[in-house]
Amino acid sequence: MLGPPPSALYTRLSRETFSAPPLEGAAETDVAVIGGGIGGLAAALALRRAGIATTLLEAETIGAGASGRNNGQVIPTLTRHDPAAVLKTMGEARGERFLAMLQSSADLLFDTAASYAIDCDAARSGWIQPAHTPGRARLAERRAAQWAARGAPAEYLDAPALAARLGSTAYCGGWRHAGGGHINPLAFARGLARAAQQEGARIHEHSRARRLVREPDGWRVEAPQGVLRCRKLVVVTAAHTDALWPRLRRTIVPVTSYQLATDVLAPTVAARILPGNEAASDTRNDLRYFHKDREGRLVTGGALAIQAVARPRLERAVRARLAELFPELAGADFPFFWGGRIAMTTDRLPRLHRTPDGLIGWIGCNGRGLALAMGMGAVLRDAVLGARDEDLALAPAPLTPVPLHPLVRRTARLALIHYRRKDRTEVPL
Ligand SMILES: Cc1cc2nc3c(=O)[nH]c(=O)nc-3n(C[C@H](O)[C@H](O)[C@H](O)COP(=O)(O)OP(=O)(O)OC[C@H]3O[C@@H](n4cnc5c(N)ncnc54)[C@H](O)[C@@H]3O)c2cc1C
């Protein structure tokens, strides 16, 4: 069981189904992929399309991790680093490659959904980031300009334009990326598994990799009912990374985030909120975010510093926040509640790891990993195919543990208190 409850809403709405038998007995493959979220599935699909024999093992069912539990917002940007910051941090040449991968990541997701007819309520209607202070509106303007200069369909929205897009006058402006949108992520994960299978990947659910054993010509993966031998191993277990690769587990901090969905909104209310059907997530660290599902519920969520009695406390907090934005939702009920775990890195950048003995993985979506996972699938494929470190879109990083990892793991959610204080403080205008 992967922590908080899974999404009954996405399960109910998903017209994609998927099931696969556990790994039984002895099997062989070129590449074993561990983890059946969008990250592992994108890698399996990319590997198969390159003609490489690939077998994917998922501990539970496809999409059981963050991939079937998130807010479904497809956003081809990072949470913290704008293009200029990426270039500064990664250097000009690598930064350019990384940004090209990131910029095309939403295209890849929506194109994959279209070419394999994945029935995931894909709405490529744009993503907007409302700015909650005048200083953040200035930042949004610069952010939009940076992306637009790179050819992305990004535009700044002043306060009236933002209000018209959002259906709320609570913000100071913002920006819009027309390449983003939203999906039912569980349906997408299931459809991606179907696509990978269609391309020849073998997939096994209920097949937790319990141990990785180095062998002379590769690896042996031990699952409860079977053993898989492979040349190379790709591990995309995200916030659910466990003792399988302990050094990887110590590079991130898993953080729980909760989701709520309203009842189906009255048509007049639904027409006023996000009339263009974009996804939206604002400039706060303690994010306010939402999109409408295909039947007209508002799917939203939040985080808690203290997890006890999560549902009623979160409902109260989210109801109050929504009432500030959309007064017509003041008394909203939330019949759906679920949550998931996000893999956070200390600098909010994703990490690629590659060991000399053929162990490859990426981790650290930092809460914005749907589009990124698709782009990283191609990076993992390139790493498997033996691309030189300097040619990869993300530089392989050493497995550096988060300092004081056991303590930070237990206390990370308290950082929310600090972030809420930062949200109340203006940035320089
Ligand atoms: C509540 C929430 C809201 C979010 N909202 C958004 C959003 O709106 N937009 C966005 O871009 N991103 C969002 N994210 C992030 C996004 O969900 C992730 O970036 C993305 O799903 C990560 O996919 P993944 O495949 O890397 O990880 P996961 O989906 O977590 O998959 C990892 C898989 O590995 C499996 N596994 C673990 N250990 C083993 C093992 N030993 N053997 C076999 N299998 C194993 C797990 O069962 C799991 O299925 C959100 C995340 C959460 C939790």
Side-chain angles (χ1 to χ4, degrees):
M1 190 39 206
L2 299 174
S7 175
L9 177 63
Y10 292 148
T11 307
R12 183 200 283 195
L13 290 176
S14 176
R15 288 176 290 232
E16 289 281 350
T17 56
F18 185 86
S19 73
L23 175 74
E24 285 180 351
E28 280 187 22
T29 187
D30 279 345
V31 179
V33 176
I34 314 295
I38 290 168
L41 292 163
L45 180 61
L47 286 163
R48 271 312 303 149
R49 291 180 65 148
I52 298 164
T54 304
T55 300
L56 181 146
L57 303 183
E58 161 55 40
E60 303 206 359
T61 51
I62 291 299
S67 295
R69 297 156 176 263
N70 59 67
N71 200 257
Q73 304 205 6
V74 180
I75 313 167
T77 72
L78 299 177
T79 44
R80 188 175 284 181
H81 293 71
D82 293 332
V86 168
L87 294 173
K88 194 168 166 207
T89 311
M90 296 188 183
E92 201 71 23
R94 176 93 59 183
E96 285 294 345
R97 264 200 295 276
F98 179 80
L99 287 170
M101 179 273 285
L102 184 62
Q103 193 165 333
S104 61
S105 60
D107 300 338
L108 183 57
L109 187 152
F110 286 113
D111 290 350
T112 304
S115 50
Y116 292 97
I118 298 177
D119 195 351
C120 61
D121 303 330
R124 196 163 201 190
S125 38
W127 169 73
I128 53 182
Q129 186 172 41
H132 72 284
T133 66
R136 265 77 169 199
R138 287 280 302 279
L139 286 180
E141 190 168 9
R142 278 182 236 151
R143 191 165 282 168
Q146 286 186 34
W147 281 110
R150 308 187 66 79
E155 58 170 338
Y156 173 67
L157 302 171
D158 63 13
L162 188 278
R165 288 267 176 204
L166 193 62
S168 168
T169 53
Y171 287 96
C172 306
W175 72 290
R176 176 172 189 271
H177 193 306
H182 55 90
I183 54 173
N184 173 335
L186 177 65
F188 180 70
R190 290 173 172 177
L192 201 56
R194 175 173 57 72
Q197 248 181 3
Q198 198 175 310
E199 295 292 348
R202 283 196 223 130
I203 297 185
H204 297 285
E205 294 182 308
H206 305 291
S207 301
R208 178 176 295 278
R210 288 199 169 145
R211 212 157 72 98
L212 309 178
V213 183
R214 189 79 183 96
E215 296 204 319
D217 51 353
W219 290 86
R220 189 173 82 236
V221 185
E222 296 178 357
Q225 302 172 58
V227 170
L228 179 63
R229 288 197 162 75
C230 60
R231 262 188 326 105
K232 289 192 175 164
L233 256 168
V234 170
V235 178
V236 195
T237 45
H240 304 286
T241 303
D242 54 16
L244 189 70
W245 190 352
R247 293 185 63 204
L248 183 69
R249 180 174 180 266
R250 289 194 287 271
T251 64
I252 57 108
V253 177
V255 170
T256 298
S257 175
Y258 295 103
Q259 303 287 285
L260 294 168
T262 64
D263 278 316
V264 174
L265 303 175
T268 48
V269 176
R272 275 200 302 274
I273 297 175
L274 289 165
N277 197 25
E278 286 101 334
S281 35
D282 77 7
T283 44
R284 289 177 172 86
N285 290 290
D286 186 14
L287 272 187
R288 295 171 191 199
Y289 54 92
F290 24 82
H291 75 270
K292 289 181 292 189
D293 73 14
R294 73 160 188 268
E295 294 179 346
R297 298 173 189 84
L298 199 72
V299 187
T300 179
L304 291 169
I306 294 160
Q307 313 290 303
V309 217
R311 184 170 186 167
R313 289 175 49 240
L314 192 78
E315 285 187 356
R316 265 199 306 279
V318 171
R319 190 176 293 119
R321 286 177 196 173
L322 287 182
E324 282 171 24
L325 305 182
F326 311 112
E328 54 269 63
L329 296 185
D333 284 327
F334 302 101
F336 295 96
F337 167 78
W338 69 96
R341 294 205 181 123
I342 297 173
M344 306 293 289
T345 53
T346 45
D347 61 3
R348 303 288 188 274
L349 286 169
R351 302 260 196 284
L352 175 69
H353 300 291
R354 167 154 82 169
T355 67
D357 50 7
L359 208 50
I360 297 165
W362 85 272
I363 200 160
C365 76
N366 292 289
R368 196 173 286 180
L370 277 183
L372 181 65
M374 293 302 293
M376 287 302 296
V379 179
L380 292 171
R381 175 206 58 210
D382 295 346
V384 165
L385 288 173
R388 297 179 312 163
D389 281 3
E390 52 271 37
D391 293 333
L392 293 165
L394 185 60
L399 287 148
T400 308
V402 172
L404 304 172
H405 188 256
L407 178 69
V408 175
R409 249 182 101 94
R410 280 200 301 278
T411 56
R413 54 183 177 263
L414 297 177
L416 197 60
I417 297 165
H418 161 70
Y419 285 128
R420 284 182 183 144
R421 197 173 308 126
K422 272 182 86 171
D423 287 341
R424 288 193 296 272
T425 312
E426 180 57 296
V427 293
L429 276 170

